């Protein structure tokens, strides 16, 4: 069965019990980390002047008023959408909002720089895009606030 921990396949079979005990929490942990690592980006944009910098550098072609509004919207996705993703509240909607943001960042801003993040490429944004795509498909999972709601998005 997929996902079973088979002790005789492990290099250290004695770890099978630990793996079995922690495996049910692995998806929730991945979803939580995916959201929480994005949260500081939203905090900086919304509370520490990062939106103005984003508006000027990455979004300057939109004009000053629209670029600042878009930068604040991006900050909201990165803070509130990421927090929702982390706790599993309206998980698919949160993942979708991050997917849209990262897809735009990849195609409009980062693509000309190539793949590697060390050259300001799209590698990091693509990682977030793909993680959120997997989360969008699966939903909140068993350890999420979505499980407490009568219906899921």
């Amino acid at each position: 069965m997929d996902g079973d921990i088979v002790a005789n396949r492990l290099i250290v079979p004695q770890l099978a019990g630990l793996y079995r005990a922690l495996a049910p929490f692995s998806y929730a942990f991945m979803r939580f980390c995916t959201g929480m690592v994005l949260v500081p980006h939203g905090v900086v944009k919304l509370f520490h002047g990062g939106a103005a910098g984003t508006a000027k550098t990455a979004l300057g072609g939109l004009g000053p008023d629209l670029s600042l509004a878009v930068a604040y919207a991006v900050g909201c996705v990165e803070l509130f959408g990421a927090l929702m993703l982390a706790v599993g509240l309206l998980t698919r909607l949160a993942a979708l909002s991050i997917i849209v943001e990262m897809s735009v960042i990849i195609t409009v801003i980062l693509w000309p720089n190539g793949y590697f993040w060390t050259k300001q490429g799209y590698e990091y944004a693509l990682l977030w895009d793909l993680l959120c795509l997997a989360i969008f498909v699966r939903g909140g999972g068993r350890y999420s606030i979505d499980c407490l709601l009568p219906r899921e998005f």
Side-chain angles (χ1 to χ4, degrees), residues 25-40 81-88 91 128 131 135 139-140 143-144:
F25 305 104
S26 62
Y27 175 73
F29 180 70
M30 189 232 12
R31 189 197 68 235
F32 178 79
C33 292
T34 300
M36 291 309 293
V37 171
L38 198 54
V39 166
L83 284 172
M84 290 168 60
L85 190 76
V87 299
T91 306
W128 253 245
L131 284 168
I135 293 168
Y143 301 110
S144 67

Side-chain angles (χ1 to χ4, degrees), residues 25-85:
F25 305 104
S26 62
Y27 175 73
F29 180 70
M30 189 232 12
R31 189 197 68 235
F32 178 79
C33 292
T34 300
M36 291 309 293
V37 171
L38 198 54
V39 166
H41 295 271
V43 170
V44 167
K45 281 183 185 73
L46 295 178
F47 303 111
H48 299 287
T54 299
K56 185 182 287 183
T57 58
L59 303 169
L62 299 175
D65 293 337
L66 182 57
S67 63
L68 190 58
V70 170
Y72 277 112
V74 166
C76 286
V77 168
E78 291 174 354
L79 177 58
F80 302 113
L83 284 172
M84 290 168 60
L85 190 76

